[in-house]
Short mmCIF file of all heavy atoms in Angstrom, two decimals:
data_model
loop_
_atom_site.label_atom_id
_atom_site.label_comp_id
_atom_site.label_asym_id
_atom_site.label_seq_id
_atom_site.Cartn_x
_atom_site.Cartn_y
_atom_site.Cartn_z
N VAL Q 13 9.09 -0.25 -13.46
CA VAL Q 13 10.11 -0.06 -12.43
C VAL Q 13 9.53 -0.36 -11.13
O VAL Q 13 8.60 0.35 -10.62
CB VAL Q 13 10.72 1.38 -12.47
CG1 VAL Q 13 11.93 1.36 -11.69
CG2 VAL Q 13 10.87 1.74 -13.98
N GLY Q 14 9.94 -1.39 -10.38
CA GLY Q 14 9.50 -1.73 -9.09
C GLY Q 14 8.57 -3.00 -9.11
O GLY Q 14 7.60 -3.01 -9.78
N ALA Q 15 8.89 -4.03 -8.31
CA ALA Q 15 8.14 -5.15 -8.21
C ALA Q 15 7.32 -5.22 -6.79
O ALA Q 15 7.48 -6.14 -6.06
CB ALA Q 15 8.98 -6.43 -8.37
N GLY Q 16 6.74 -4.09 -6.56
CA GLY Q 16 5.88 -4.03 -5.32
C GLY Q 16 4.53 -4.39 -5.78
O GLY Q 16 4.23 -4.93 -6.74
N VAL Q 17 3.46 -3.92 -4.87
CA VAL Q 17 2.07 -4.24 -5.25
C VAL Q 17 1.67 -3.63 -6.52
O VAL Q 17 1.00 -4.23 -7.34
CB VAL Q 17 1.18 -3.72 -4.09
CG1 VAL Q 17 -0.29 -4.00 -4.27
CG2 VAL Q 17 1.64 -4.24 -2.68
N ALA Q 18 1.95 -2.36 -6.69
CA ALA Q 18 1.58 -1.62 -7.97
C ALA Q 18 2.25 -2.24 -9.06
O ALA Q 18 1.58 -2.46 -10.23
CB ALA Q 18 1.86 -0.19 -7.81
N GLY Q 19 3.55 -2.45 -9.05
CA GLY Q 19 4.31 -2.90 -10.25
C GLY Q 19 3.81 -4.31 -10.68
O GLY Q 19 3.66 -4.55 -11.85
N ALA Q 36 11.95 -3.94 -13.71
CA ALA Q 36 13.30 -3.83 -13.12
C ALA Q 36 13.12 -3.50 -11.64
O ALA Q 36 12.38 -2.55 -11.34
CB ALA Q 36 13.95 -2.55 -13.90
N GLU Q 37 13.60 -4.43 -10.79
CA GLU Q 37 13.35 -4.28 -9.39
C GLU Q 37 14.75 -4.09 -8.70
O GLU Q 37 15.60 -4.88 -8.86
CB GLU Q 37 12.56 -5.42 -8.88
CG GLU Q 37 12.72 -5.73 -7.35
CD GLU Q 37 12.16 -4.63 -6.37
OE1 GLU Q 37 11.13 -4.06 -6.70
OE2 GLU Q 37 12.91 -4.17 -5.51
N LEU Q 38 14.91 -3.03 -7.93
CA LEU Q 38 16.12 -2.65 -7.29
C LEU Q 38 16.62 -3.71 -6.29
O LEU Q 38 17.75 -4.13 -6.23
CB LEU Q 38 16.07 -1.31 -6.62
CG LEU Q 38 17.37 -0.72 -6.07
CD1 LEU Q 38 18.28 -0.37 -7.24
CD2 LEU Q 38 16.91 0.71 -5.43
N GLY Q 39 15.59 -4.37 -5.58
CA GLY Q 39 16.00 -5.24 -4.47
C GLY Q 39 16.28 -6.61 -5.00
O GLY Q 39 16.02 -6.93 -6.26
N TRP Q 47 6.40 -6.54 8.59
CA TRP Q 47 5.09 -6.63 9.12
C TRP Q 47 4.04 -7.10 8.01
O TRP Q 47 4.39 -7.39 6.85
CB TRP Q 47 4.58 -5.24 9.60
CG TRP Q 47 4.60 -4.22 8.52
CD1 TRP Q 47 3.48 -3.89 7.85
CD2 TRP Q 47 5.69 -3.46 8.05
NE1 TRP Q 47 3.92 -2.94 6.89
CE2 TRP Q 47 5.19 -2.61 7.06
CE3 TRP Q 47 7.05 -3.36 8.44
CZ2 TRP Q 47 5.99 -1.76 6.38
CZ3 TRP Q 47 7.82 -2.51 7.71
CH2 TRP Q 47 7.32 -1.60 6.70
N GLY Q 48 2.79 -7.05 8.41
CA GLY Q 48 1.76 -7.52 7.36
C GLY Q 48 0.97 -6.27 6.99
O GLY Q 48 1.33 -5.22 7.24
N LEU Q 49 -0.03 -6.62 6.11
CA LEU Q 49 -0.89 -5.62 5.50
C LEU Q 49 -2.31 -5.94 5.78
O LEU Q 49 -2.66 -7.13 5.73
CB LEU Q 49 -0.74 -5.59 4.04
CG LEU Q 49 0.28 -4.84 3.25
CD1 LEU Q 49 0.33 -5.06 1.81
CD2 LEU Q 49 0.14 -3.39 3.48
N CYS Q 50 -3.19 -4.96 5.91
CA CYS Q 50 -4.64 -5.26 5.80
C CYS Q 50 -5.09 -4.86 4.49
O CYS Q 50 -4.93 -3.66 4.07
CB CYS Q 50 -5.29 -4.35 7.03
SG CYS Q 50 -7.03 -4.51 6.81
N LEU Q 51 -5.66 -5.75 3.72
CA LEU Q 51 -6.21 -5.48 2.48
C LEU Q 51 -7.60 -5.30 2.64
O LEU Q 51 -8.37 -6.18 2.95
CB LEU Q 51 -5.93 -6.58 1.44
CG LEU Q 51 -4.45 -6.89 1.14
CD1 LEU Q 51 -4.22 -8.10 0.28
CD2 LEU Q 51 -3.66 -5.66 0.60
N THR Q 52 -8.17 -4.01 2.44
CA THR Q 52 -9.52 -3.64 2.67
C THR Q 52 -10.29 -4.07 1.41
O THR Q 52 -9.76 -4.48 0.40
CB THR Q 52 -9.69 -2.16 2.92
OG1 THR Q 52 -8.91 -1.43 2.00
CG2 THR Q 52 -9.18 -1.87 4.39
N SER Q 55 -9.22 -3.27 -2.10
CA SER Q 55 -8.06 -4.23 -2.60
C SER Q 55 -8.50 -5.56 -2.97
O SER Q 55 -8.17 -6.05 -4.11
CB SER Q 55 -6.99 -4.43 -1.44
OG SER Q 55 -6.52 -3.28 -0.91
N ARG Q 109 3.25 -9.57 4.34
CA ARG Q 109 3.70 -9.00 3.15
C ARG Q 109 4.44 -10.02 2.23
O ARG Q 109 4.17 -10.11 0.93
CB ARG Q 109 4.66 -7.83 3.35
CG ARG Q 109 3.84 -6.51 3.69
CD ARG Q 109 4.81 -5.30 3.68
NE ARG Q 109 4.05 -4.20 4.30
CZ ARG Q 109 3.86 -3.08 3.59
NH1 ARG Q 109 4.14 -2.95 2.40
NH2 ARG Q 109 2.98 -2.16 4.28
N HIS Q 113 3.36 -10.96 -1.68
CA HIS Q 113 4.30 -10.71 -2.75
C HIS Q 113 4.56 -12.00 -3.59
O HIS Q 113 4.63 -11.98 -4.75
CB HIS Q 113 5.59 -10.09 -2.29
CG HIS Q 113 5.49 -8.58 -2.19
ND1 HIS Q 113 5.88 -7.66 -3.17
CD2 HIS Q 113 4.79 -7.88 -1.30
CE1 HIS Q 113 5.58 -6.43 -2.78
NE2 HIS Q 113 4.90 -6.52 -1.72
N THR Q 131 18.23 -4.41 -10.25
CA THR Q 131 18.22 -3.58 -11.44
C THR Q 131 17.34 -2.42 -11.29
O THR Q 131 16.24 -2.50 -10.70
CB THR Q 131 17.76 -4.35 -12.76
OG1 THR Q 131 18.46 -5.66 -12.73
CG2 THR Q 131 18.04 -3.65 -14.01
N THR Q 132 17.92 -1.23 -11.79
CA THR Q 132 16.97 -0.07 -11.90
C THR Q 132 17.10 0.59 -13.16
O THR Q 132 17.79 0.16 -14.02
CB THR Q 132 17.26 0.93 -10.69
OG1 THR Q 132 16.40 2.00 -10.61
CG2 THR Q 132 18.70 1.51 -10.85
N VAL Q 133 16.54 1.68 -13.28
CA VAL Q 133 16.42 2.50 -14.57
C VAL Q 133 17.52 3.66 -14.33
O VAL Q 133 17.37 4.42 -13.42
CB VAL Q 133 15.12 3.03 -14.90
CG1 VAL Q 133 15.15 4.03 -16.04
CG2 VAL Q 133 14.21 1.84 -15.30
N ALA Q 161 6.74 2.38 -10.86
CA ALA Q 161 5.91 1.79 -9.62
C ALA Q 161 6.95 1.56 -8.48
O ALA Q 161 6.82 0.52 -7.83
CB ALA Q 161 5.20 0.52 -9.96
N ASP Q 162 7.84 2.53 -8.37
CA ASP Q 162 8.96 2.29 -7.46
C ASP Q 162 8.72 3.05 -6.13
O ASP Q 162 9.75 3.48 -5.47
CB ASP Q 162 10.29 2.70 -8.08
CG ASP Q 162 10.21 4.02 -8.86
OD1 ASP Q 162 9.14 4.59 -9.04
OD2 ASP Q 162 11.28 4.46 -9.29
N GLY Q 163 7.52 3.11 -5.67
CA GLY Q 163 7.20 3.48 -4.31
C GLY Q 163 7.34 5.02 -3.99
O GLY Q 163 7.58 5.82 -4.91
N ILE Q 164 7.22 5.34 -2.72
CA ILE Q 164 7.07 6.86 -2.37
C ILE Q 164 8.38 7.55 -2.64
O ILE Q 164 8.27 8.74 -2.90
CB ILE Q 164 6.74 6.91 -0.80
CG1 ILE Q 164 6.32 8.21 -0.45
CG2 ILE Q 164 7.78 6.28 0.07
CD1 ILE Q 164 5.79 8.43 0.92
N ARG Q 165 9.53 6.94 -2.61
CA ARG Q 165 10.76 7.63 -3.01
C ARG Q 165 11.21 7.36 -4.46
O ARG Q 165 12.36 7.44 -4.74
CB ARG Q 165 11.95 7.19 -1.95
CG ARG Q 165 11.67 7.63 -0.60
CD ARG Q 165 12.75 7.21 0.37
NE ARG Q 165 12.53 7.68 1.65
CZ ARG Q 165 11.68 7.09 2.63
NH1 ARG Q 165 11.04 6.04 2.15
NH2 ARG Q 165 11.34 7.64 3.70
N SER Q 166 10.16 7.24 -5.26
CA SER Q 166 10.37 6.88 -6.76
C SER Q 166 11.48 7.59 -7.39
O SER Q 166 11.50 8.95 -7.27
CB SER Q 166 9.01 7.19 -7.46
OG SER Q 166 9.26 7.17 -8.80
N SER Q 167 12.45 7.01 -8.00
CA SER Q 167 13.36 7.81 -8.87
C SER Q 167 12.88 7.91 -10.27
O SER Q 167 13.28 8.91 -10.95
CB SER Q 167 14.81 7.10 -8.79
OG SER Q 167 14.66 5.78 -9.23
N THR Q 168 11.90 7.10 -10.69
CA THR Q 168 11.26 7.23 -12.08
C THR Q 168 10.62 8.50 -12.08
O THR Q 168 10.72 9.17 -13.16
CB THR Q 168 10.27 6.09 -12.28
OG1 THR Q 168 10.88 4.84 -11.92
CG2 THR Q 168 9.89 6.07 -13.69
N VAL Q 185 5.22 5.20 13.20
CA VAL Q 185 4.37 3.97 13.25
C VAL Q 185 5.11 2.78 13.52
O VAL Q 185 6.25 2.56 12.91
CB VAL Q 185 3.38 3.71 12.04
CG1 VAL Q 185 2.21 4.74 12.08
CG2 VAL Q 185 4.11 3.81 10.73
N ARG Q 187 5.28 -1.53 13.96
CA ARG Q 187 4.56 -2.86 13.63
C ARG Q 187 5.50 -3.95 14.35
O ARG Q 187 6.70 -3.86 14.34
CB ARG Q 187 4.59 -3.11 12.12
CG ARG Q 187 3.88 -2.06 11.29
CD ARG Q 187 2.41 -2.20 11.54
NE ARG Q 187 1.57 -1.38 10.58
CZ ARG Q 187 1.15 -0.11 10.89
NH1 ARG Q 187 1.42 0.37 12.02
NH2 ARG Q 187 0.39 0.51 10.07
N TYR Q 220 -0.24 -8.91 13.60
CA TYR Q 220 0.61 -7.85 13.88
C TYR Q 220 0.07 -6.79 14.72
O TYR Q 220 -1.09 -6.47 14.67
CB TYR Q 220 1.29 -7.25 12.63
CG TYR Q 220 0.49 -6.37 11.74
CD1 TYR Q 220 0.28 -5.02 11.91
CD2 TYR Q 220 -0.17 -6.92 10.59
CE1 TYR Q 220 -0.45 -4.19 11.13
CE2 TYR Q 220 -1.03 -6.10 9.78
CZ TYR Q 220 -1.08 -4.79 10.07
OH TYR Q 220 -1.76 -3.89 9.24
N ARG Q 269 8.59 3.28 11.47
CA ARG Q 269 8.63 4.05 10.26
C ARG Q 269 8.02 5.37 10.46
O ARG Q 269 7.01 5.45 11.14
CB ARG Q 269 7.91 3.38 9.03
CG ARG Q 269 8.46 2.00 8.63
CD ARG Q 269 9.66 2.12 7.71
NE ARG Q 269 10.05 0.80 7.21
CZ ARG Q 269 10.86 0.04 7.77
NH1 ARG Q 269 11.41 0.34 8.93
NH2 ARG Q 269 11.16 -1.16 7.23
N PRO Q 270 8.59 6.46 9.78
CA PRO Q 270 7.79 7.71 9.77
C PRO Q 270 6.52 7.69 9.07
O PRO Q 270 6.46 7.01 8.00
CB PRO Q 270 8.86 8.66 9.10
CG PRO Q 270 9.72 7.80 8.22
CD PRO Q 270 9.71 6.48 8.88
N ILE Q 288 2.69 5.18 -10.83
CA ILE Q 288 1.47 4.71 -10.24
C ILE Q 288 1.86 4.31 -8.86
O ILE Q 288 2.95 4.29 -8.44
CB ILE Q 288 0.92 3.53 -11.06
CG1 ILE Q 288 1.93 2.35 -11.04
CG2 ILE Q 288 0.53 3.89 -12.43
CD1 ILE Q 288 1.28 1.04 -11.61
N GLY Q 289 0.78 3.95 -8.10
CA GLY Q 289 0.92 3.46 -6.67
C GLY Q 289 1.49 4.60 -5.85
O GLY Q 289 1.33 5.79 -6.10
N ASP Q 290 2.31 4.23 -4.87
CA ASP Q 290 2.94 5.24 -3.91
C ASP Q 290 3.69 6.34 -4.65
O ASP Q 290 3.98 7.35 -4.11
CB ASP Q 290 3.71 4.63 -2.85
CG ASP Q 290 2.87 4.12 -1.66
OD1 ASP Q 290 1.63 4.11 -1.79
OD2 ASP Q 290 3.53 3.62 -0.59
N ALA Q 291 4.29 5.91 -5.84
CA ALA Q 291 5.12 6.89 -6.48
C ALA Q 291 4.23 8.14 -6.90
O ALA Q 291 4.74 9.24 -7.13
CB ALA Q 291 5.66 6.30 -7.75
N PRO Q 295 -0.75 7.61 0.73
CA PRO Q 295 -1.50 7.95 1.84
C PRO Q 295 -0.76 7.58 3.21
O PRO Q 295 0.08 6.75 3.16
CB PRO Q 295 -2.85 7.14 1.70
CG PRO Q 295 -2.41 6.03 0.99
CD PRO Q 295 -1.19 6.21 0.11
N PRO Q 297 -0.69 5.47 6.69
CA PRO Q 297 -1.23 4.11 6.78
C PRO Q 297 -2.54 3.94 7.53
O PRO Q 297 -3.17 2.90 7.55
CB PRO Q 297 -0.10 3.30 7.50
CG PRO Q 297 0.90 4.35 8.04
CD PRO Q 297 0.64 5.61 7.26
N ALA Q 300 -5.30 2.29 5.80
CA ALA Q 300 -4.97 0.91 5.37
C ALA Q 300 -5.44 0.79 3.94
O ALA Q 300 -6.23 -0.22 3.54
CB ALA Q 300 -5.59 -0.14 6.20
N SER Q 301 -5.19 1.64 3.09
CA SER Q 301 -5.74 1.64 1.71
C SER Q 301 -4.73 1.88 0.61
O SER Q 301 -5.12 2.07 -0.59
CB SER Q 301 -6.97 2.59 1.51
OG SER Q 301 -8.01 2.24 2.44
N GLY Q 302 -3.45 2.09 0.98
CA GLY Q 302 -2.43 2.37 -0.05
C GLY Q 302 -2.34 1.21 -0.98
O GLY Q 302 -2.20 1.45 -2.24
N ALA Q 303 -2.44 0.00 -0.54
CA ALA Q 303 -2.34 -1.18 -1.37
C ALA Q 303 -3.56 -1.29 -2.41
O ALA Q 303 -3.49 -1.64 -3.54
CB ALA Q 303 -2.25 -2.45 -0.66
N ALA Q 304 -4.74 -0.86 -1.81
CA ALA Q 304 -5.88 -0.74 -2.65
C ALA Q 304 -5.70 0.04 -3.87
O ALA Q 304 -5.99 -0.30 -4.93
CB ALA Q 304 -7.10 -0.40 -1.80
N ALA Q 306 -2.99 0.98 -5.15
CA ALA Q 306 -1.93 0.42 -5.96
C ALA Q 306 -2.44 -0.65 -6.93
O ALA Q 306 -2.12 -0.66 -8.10
CB ALA Q 306 -0.78 -0.11 -5.14
C1 LIG P 401 3.92 1.23 8.18
C2 LIG P 401 3.06 1.04 6.96
C3 LIG P 401 1.88 0.32 6.99
C4 LIG P 401 1.00 0.18 6.02
N1 LIG P 401 -0.14 -0.61 6.09
C5 LIG P 401 -1.00 -0.76 5.07
C6 LIG P 401 -2.05 -1.57 5.11
O1 LIG P 401 -2.37 -2.20 6.19
N2 LIG P 401 -2.89 -1.68 4.10
C7 LIG P 401 -2.62 -0.93 2.92
O2 LIG P 401 -3.42 -1.02 1.94
N3 LIG P 401 -1.62 -0.15 2.75
C8 LIG P 401 -0.74 -0.04 3.79
N4 LIG P 401 0.39 0.75 3.65
C9 LIG P 401 0.62 1.35 2.38
C10 LIG P 401 1.19 0.39 1.37
O3 LIG P 401 2.32 -0.33 1.92
C11 LIG P 401 1.64 1.02 0.12
O4 LIG P 401 0.61 2.00 -0.26
C12 LIG P 401 1.89 0.04 -1.02
O5 LIG P 401 2.87 -0.84 -0.66
C13 LIG P 401 2.26 0.76 -2.21
O6 LIG P 401 2.70 -0.13 -3.19
P1 LIG P 401 3.74 0.33 -4.35
O7 LIG P 401 3.90 -0.84 -5.24
O8 LIG P 401 3.31 1.60 -4.93
O9 LIG P 401 5.02 0.69 -3.60
P2 LIG P 401 6.02 -0.21 -2.75
O10 LIG P 401 5.27 -1.37 -2.01
O11 LIG P 401 6.95 0.65 -1.92
O12 LIG P 401 6.94 -1.03 -3.82
C14 LIG P 401 7.97 -0.32 -4.53
C15 LIG P 401 8.92 -1.40 -5.08
O13 LIG P 401 9.86 -0.63 -6.03
C16 LIG P 401 11.11 -1.06 -5.66
N5 LIG P 401 12.03 0.11 -5.96
C17 LIG P 401 12.21 1.16 -5.22
N6 LIG P 401 13.10 2.07 -5.83
C18 LIG P 401 13.44 1.41 -6.99
C19 LIG P 401 14.24 1.85 -8.07
N7 LIG P 401 14.86 3.02 -8.17
N8 LIG P 401 14.34 0.94 -9.10
C20 LIG P 401 13.63 -0.22 -9.12
N9 LIG P 401 12.96 -0.61 -8.07
C21 LIG P 401 12.76 0.20 -7.04
C22 LIG P 401 11.07 -1.39 -4.15
O14 LIG P 401 12.25 -2.21 -3.79
C23 LIG P 401 9.68 -2.05 -4.06
O15 LIG P 401 9.78 -3.47 -4.37
C24 LIG P 401 1.30 0.91 4.77
C25 LIG P 401 2.47 1.65 4.65
C26 LIG P 401 3.28 1.80 5.77
C27 LIG P 401 4.57 2.60 5.60
#
Side-chain angles (χ1 to χ4, degrees):
V13 192
V17 180
E37 162 61 47
L38 192 57
W47 65 93
L49 273 177
C50 172
L51 300 176
T52 48
S55 302
R109 282 189 189 244
H113 278 259
T131 309
T132 187
V133 171
D162 46 350
I164 188 168
R165 292 183 179 78
S166 168
S167 57
T168 314
V185 285
R187 298 289 187 266
Y220 73 85
R269 296 278 185 276
I288 64 170
D290 274 12
S301 298

